Amino acid sequence: MAASKPTASAAPKARRPAPLALVKNDAWLAPFEPVLRQRLARLQARLAEIEQYHGSLLNYATAHQHLGLNHDAGRGGWVYREWAPGADYLSLIGDFNGWDRGANPLHKLDFGVWEVFLPDAEYDQRLSHGSRFKVHVAANGQGKDRLPATLRRAVQDEQTKDYAGQIWRPETEFRWTDQKFKPATAVKVPLIYEAHVGMATEESRVGTYREFAENILPRIEADGYNTVQLMAVMEHPYYGSFGYHVANLFAASSRFGTPEDLKFLIDEAHRRGIAVLLDIVHSHAVKNEAEGLADFDGSGNLYFHKGERGNHPGWDSKLFDYGRPEVQQFLLSNLRYWLEEFHFDGFRFDGVTSMLYHHHGEGVAFMGYDNYFGEAADEDAILYLQLATTLAHEFKKGSILVAEDMSGLPGLCRPIKEGGVGFDYRLAMGIPDYWIKLLKHTPDENWPLGDLWHTLNNRRAGEKTIAYAESHDQALVGDKTLLHWLIDAGIYTHMHAADPDPNAARGVALHKLIRLVTLATGGEGYLTFIGNEFGHPEWVDFPREGNDWSYHFARRQWSLADNPELKYHQLGEFDKAMIHLAKARHLLGAGPAVLLKHDEENKVLVFERAGLVFIVNFHVEKSLTDYRFWVTEEGKYRVVLSSDNSRFGGFDRPDEAFEYETYEHQLSLYVPSRVALVLARG
C-alpha cells in the first residue's frame, strides 16, 4: 500500500483590519470604508513627507515667516521674498524708494521664489513704521503693482481708494495678559455670539476693535455667552461683502483699527472668560487683482485653479488649488498666524461645503451616502481640511473648530483617527432655514410639530452641532430677521412694553419659543447673531451704491435693548435668562432631548433634557388647564423659566411659585397658549 502524500499546511489567512470607528458607529458607511481608509492613508503619507522635509507640521506652517517683508536682525536688514514662478521681473516699491520700479529688483531663487535684501545701513530710516509699499510684478509683457501675498497690513488711501501695504513695527510691542486663559476650561460647550466689529456701534459709521472691546464685550459677558465669533477680520476691499471676499489673508482689517487694537479686544475677551473664534475664509477669495492674489505671477493660476475651475459659479470669486503644496502651506501658515499672533481660540470655517465637492454644493440635494463620495468629492480639499484641523488642535490645545457645511458629510466632526475630518462642531444650517420657511409659508395654526421636532433633532449621532434660529445669513437685506417676519411693520410702531397690539404680542411670544426650543433641542452648542438676542428690528445692509452708501442698516441699535419700556428689552432679558439657565443646568453637555409628548391637536411639545422638562404650547389661542403628560422621574417640580413672565413681555399667567408633584409618573399643568415652561425637579 502506497504511503499517503503529506498534506501541505494551509497558508495563514490575512487578517482583515478592524473597521474604522466611524464605520462601526454608522453601518451605512461600510461600502465607503475603502475611500475613508484611502483618505487616512493619504493624510499620513503627506504628514510623513512634511516631517521628512520640514521637521513637523508646525514648522511647515511658517511660510509667512519667510515670505513677504520681514526684518532679519541677524543679517542686519530687511528681506522681501515672494513666490511667483511665472513672473519675469519683480521689484519692491514704496515710499522708501519713491515708488521707483527699477530701484530694488528681486532676484530669482529656487522653487519660483524671488528675493531682495535691503540693509539697515541704507534703509533703516526709510523703511520706517507706517511707510507704504507694494511689489511690482511683470509677466507676459506687462507689469502690475500688487499687494504681497503674505501682507500683514493693508491700508486704503482716502482720496484714491487705492490699497497699499504698510510696514507695522511700533516701538512698543503689545503686552498680552491672557497667559492663564485656556479655551478648553472656559468653554465646556460653546455659546457663541456671532459679531461684526464694524456694525457693532449705534452710530452711522464703522465701529472699531477698541469700541467693541469696551462696549460690546461687557454685554456678551452679561448675556452669558462664552464665545465670540468675529466676522470680517481678514482684510477685504469691499466693506459690503460682509468680509467674505477676502483679499489679504494675513492682514487684520485696518478699517477697524490697528493690530494692537485687535489684540486688545482678544486679550480683554480672555480676561472676561470669553473665547474668540475667527470666521476664517479659506473656501474662496476675491478675484480683484489690484488688492488680491488672482493671477499674481501672470500664469493664470498660482494660488487658484486655472481656467473655469478657478471661478466659483455662484460667488463671483476665485477658488484655491488645495492640491498644490505651496497653496497648502500658505493656508496652513495662515491658520498658525492667526492662532499665534492674535491668540484666537479657533475658527469657524466658512463655505466648507464648497470646498468638499467639485460642484460646491450648487444645486445638489444630498439625498444619500453616494453624494458624499466618488467623483464629486474634492479629495485635495478634504486632505487640506484634515491637515488644517490637525494643525489647529496641535498648535493650540482645546481650540474650537466649527464647520459651515450644509451637506452633512459623515465624519466631518469626528477625529481623524476614526476616519473623520477632525472638526469639533458643525453648524445646524437646516434649523434656521426651516424657521424662515415656516414663517413665510405656513400659518401658525398649521405648524407641523412632527416635522419641526424632526428638523430640530435631525443630526448625526456622535457629531456635535451648533444650533441657531438665525445667523447673519437670515439677517441680510433681501430677507428679514425672525422678529421682522413675525411682526413686520409693527417693529416700528408697536414695541412699547405697554402696547397691547395682538400681532406684536404674537411676535414676541413666538420669538421666545423659537429661540428656546432651538437652544434646548438643536445641538451641543448654540449661536446667536449680534443684536438678534433682543430681536433687532431690521435686516443688515452695508453701505453701497444701491442705498446711497448709508450706514442705517449696518449698525446695532443698543438703545432699544437698554430701554426697559420697550419689548426689545424684554426679549433681551429672556435671552439672558435662557442662556444662564442652559449654563447653570449644563443643558447642552447632556445627551439629546427626549420627546415625552407630541400633541398635534393642541400644538404642544413636551420633552426632557439634562433633567429639565420643557412644555411648549404653540397653539394660537388654546390655553390648556390640567394638561397631563408622563415624566421619567417622579417627584416635585418647580418652574425655573417661564416665557410668560412679565419681565419677558408675557402676562404672568402660570403661577411660577407653584410646586407640581407627580402622580403615577404624570404631571398636570396649566399651559397658556404660546408659552413655554421649563421645570426642574426638587
Side-chain angles (χ1 to χ4, degrees):
M1 185 174 174
S4 59
K5 274 186 163 182
T7 56
S9 59
K13 288 184 178 179
R15 286 187 180 178
R16 292 182 63 183
L20 290 169
L22 197 62
V23 179
K24 274 186 181 179
N25 294 330
D26 185 351
W28 291 96
L29 281 171
F32 308 101
E33 184 168 9
V35 179
L36 296 172
R37 288 194 179 278
Q38 190 175 23
R39 288 176 179 176
L40 192 55
R42 189 180 182 204
L43 171 66
Q44 291 167 343
R46 182 69 181 121
L47 286 171
E49 185 180 33
I50 288 170
E51 288 168 12
Q52 179 183 353
Y53 293 104
H54 301 274
S56 69
L57 181 61
L58 295 184
N59 286 341
Y60 182 62
T62 54
H64 57 292
Q65 297 174 12
H66 307 287
L67 299 175
L69 185 60
N70 295 290
H71 189 264
D72 188 332
R75 290 178 66 178
W78 291 85
V79 182
Y80 176 69
R81 300 187 188 95
E82 198 70 67
W83 176 54
D88 300 321
Y89 174 84
L90 278 79
S91 65
L92 191 64
I93 57 175
D95 297 338
F96 70 96
N97 64 8
W99 301 92
D100 183 351
R101 293 166 181 159
N104 297 101
L106 280 69
H107 63 279
K108 199 169 188 178
L109 308 176
D110 295 332
F111 308 110
V113 176
W114 299 69
E115 179 186 283
V116 64
F117 177 70
L118 298 95
D120 283 340
E122 187 178 351
Y123 291 96
D124 186 48
Q125 297 302 312
R126 288 194 273 168
L127 286 169
S128 57
H129 173 65
S131 62
R132 304 190 179 199
F133 68 99
K134 291 188 179 186
V135 60
H136 181 72
V137 182
N140 305 318
Q142 58 176 329
K144 297 176 182 178
D145 296 341
R146 306 294 300 261
L147 298 185
T150 58
L151 185 68
R152 310 289 180 86
R153 182 167 169 83
V155 291
Q156 188 176 32
D157 186 280
E158 284 298 319
Q159 278 69 47
T160 66
K161 305 302 180 185
D162 182 46
Y163 274 90
Q166 187 176 47
I167 293 175
W168 198 255
R169 207 181 178 203
E171 289 183 13
T172 306
E173 283 191 16
F174 182 81
R175 295 187 65 180
W176 292 94
T177 64
D178 66 346
Q179 289 79 10
K180 294 182 179 179
F181 181 83
K182 305 294 180 189
T185 303
V187 182
K188 300 301 182 185
V189 295
L191 298 164
I192 301 174
Y193 196 88
E194 182 186 35
H196 184 287
V197 167
M199 59 177 284
T201 175
E202 188 151 354
E203 299 172 34
S204 293
R205 58 177 177 82
V206 178
T208 69
Y209 297 122
R210 287 262 173 183
E211 289 171 330
F212 190 95
E214 292 164 358
N215 302 328
I216 310 306
L217 285 179
R219 291 179 178 273
I220 296 171
E221 181 184 21
D223 287 347
Y225 291 89
N226 58 23
T227 307
V228 61
Q229 179 179 299
L230 292 181
M231 309 170 63
V233 169
M234 304 167 83
E235 190 63 87
H236 48 292
Y238 180 46
Y239 188 46
S241 76
F242 226 142
Y244 289 115
H245 276 197
V246 172
N248 316 108
L249 280 78
F250 288 83
S253 182
S254 60
R255 57 170 58 84
F256 308 133
T258 68
E260 286 69 39
D261 292 337
L262 175 57
K263 291 175 181 179
F264 175 82
L265 187 166
I266 296 170
D267 197 56
E268 176 65 11
H270 289 168
R271 188 183 70 79
R272 294 178 178 274
I274 299 170
V276 188
L277 306 184
L278 174 65
D279 194 344
I280 202 156
V281 187
H282 282 182
S283 49
H284 65 130
V286 72
K287 67 179 184 181
N288 304 28
E289 292 188 8
E291 296 91 3
L293 298 170
D295 196 24
F296 191 87
D297 67 345
S299 63
N301 57 336
L302 199 65
Y303 289 96
F304 309 111
H305 287 292
K306 199 163 191 169
E308 272 310 299
R309 192 181 171 192
N311 300 319
H312 194 287
W315 296 347
D316 192 32
S317 54
K318 301 299 293 182
L319 293 168
F320 288 104
D321 183 353
Y322 304 107
R324 197 163 190 174
E326 295 89 347
V327 176
Q328 207 177 75
Q329 186 182 26
F330 174 80
L331 294 174
L332 291 170
S333 301
N334 189 237
L335 295 176
R336 172 172 176 158
Y337 171 74
W338 290 110
L339 293 170
E340 185 171 31
E341 182 70 19
F342 289 96
H343 292 203
F344 277 100
D345 300 298
F347 305 102
R348 178 263 197 192
F349 275 72
D350 175 68
V352 169
T353 307
S354 177
M355 300 172 73
L356 292 172
Y357 311 100
H358 293 297
H359 51 62
H360 311 297
E362 297 274 308
V364 175
F366 291 89
M367 303 299 290
Y369 279 42
D370 288 338
N371 294 122
Y372 301 124
F373 304 96
E375 294 182 359
D378 189 333
E379 296 296 339
D380 290 339
I382 292 166
L383 173 63
Y384 166 67
L385 288 172
Q386 289 177 315
L387 288 167
T389 58
T390 301
L391 173 78
H393 284 140
E394 188 177 328
F395 186 83
K396 189 162 194 174
K397 305 300 181 187
S399 57
I400 303 164
L401 305 179
V402 181
E404 188 209 26
D405 169 49
M406 49 74 65
S407 76
L409 175 69
L412 184 66
C413 302
R414 292 303 302 171
I416 287 169
K417 65 182 180 181
E418 295 183 4
V421 181
F423 283 96
D424 301 306
Y425 298 88
R426 71 165 84 239
L427 291 173
M429 300 180 71
I431 294 176
D433 290 346
Y434 187 81
W435 284 124
I436 292 292
K437 185 175 75 171
L438 269 187
L439 294 177
K440 282 183 179 180
H441 304 299
T442 309
D444 304 4
E445 60 269 22
N446 295 333
W447 281 12
L449 297 192
D451 287 352
L452 174 59
W453 179 260
H454 173 74
T455 300
L456 289 168
N457 291 274
N458 182 25
R459 55 187 183 274
R460 294 193 177 280
E463 298 200 42
K464 293 180 180 178
T465 299
I466 305 292
Y468 58 107
E470 53 183 338
S471 70
H472 71 271
D473 285 327
Q474 286 70 44
L476 290 172
V477 68
D479 211 325
K480 299 178 184 179
T481 61
L482 287 179
L483 194 69
H484 204 166
W485 277 112
L486 287 163
I487 305 181
D488 203 36
I491 59 171
Y492 305 108
T493 55
H494 293 294
M495 292 300 286
H496 194 280
D499 191 320
D501 179 70
N503 188 54
R506 164 194 175 264
V508 167
L510 286 177
H511 194 270
K512 290 180 286 187
L513 266 56
I514 287 170
R515 301 178 85 75
L516 178 62
V517 76
T518 299
L519 168 75
T521 65
E524 292 71 38
Y526 180 73
L527 176 145
T528 192
F529 176 65
I530 182 171
N532 285 357
E533 72 278 6
F534 65 84
H536 200 277
E538 294 158 336
W539 53 75
V540 176
D541 187 17
F542 285 90
R544 55 187 173 87
E545 190 175 2
N547 65 15
D548 293 325
W549 304 103
S550 169
Y551 285 88
H552 181 75
F553 297 105
R555 61 195 180 101
R556 297 286 89 174
Q557 299 179 61
W558 302 111
S559 57
L560 300 177
D562 295 340
N563 187 342
E565 296 185 356
L566 296 179
K567 291 181 170 73
Y568 295 112
H569 177 76
Q570 295 171 334
L571 288 174
E573 288 299 298
F574 178 76
D575 193 84
K576 186 185 299 185
M578 179 181 78
I579 293 296
H580 281 280
L581 177 66
K583 290 173 73 175
R585 295 285 175 164
H586 307 290
L587 178 65
L588 301 183
V594 177
L595 185 63
L596 301 177
K597 189 168 186 176
H598 167 207
D599 184 348
E600 202 69 53
E601 180 183 351
N602 291 306
K603 295 299 178 190
V604 176
L605 288 175
V606 183
F607 57 91
E608 191 177 52
R609 190 176 187 188
L612 297 174
V613 177
F614 296 78
I615 308 100
V616 188
N617 182 356
F618 286 100
H619 204 284
V620 298
E621 58 183 7
K622 189 186 291 186
S623 294
L624 304 165
T625 56
D626 190 24
Y627 191 73
R628 295 173 181 270
F629 53 87
W630 297 93
V631 291
T632 55
E633 291 192 58
E634 290 193 301
K636 294 179 179 181
Y637 287 78
R638 59 187 176 84
V639 176
V640 290
L641 182 65
S642 168
S643 69
D644 203 43
N645 190 297
S646 57
R647 193 161 61 94
F648 310 141
F651 302 98
D652 286 328
R653 286 169 287 179
D655 181 358
E656 294 183 41
F658 188 80
E659 191 173 62
Y660 301 90
E661 190 167 0
T662 56
Y663 177 72
E664 294 183 347
H665 270 288
Q666 288 192 80
L667 283 174
S668 173
L669 273 73
Y670 167 52
V671 190
S673 63
R674 289 185 177 134
V675 164
L677 295 173
V678 186
L679 307 182
R681 200 164 64 89

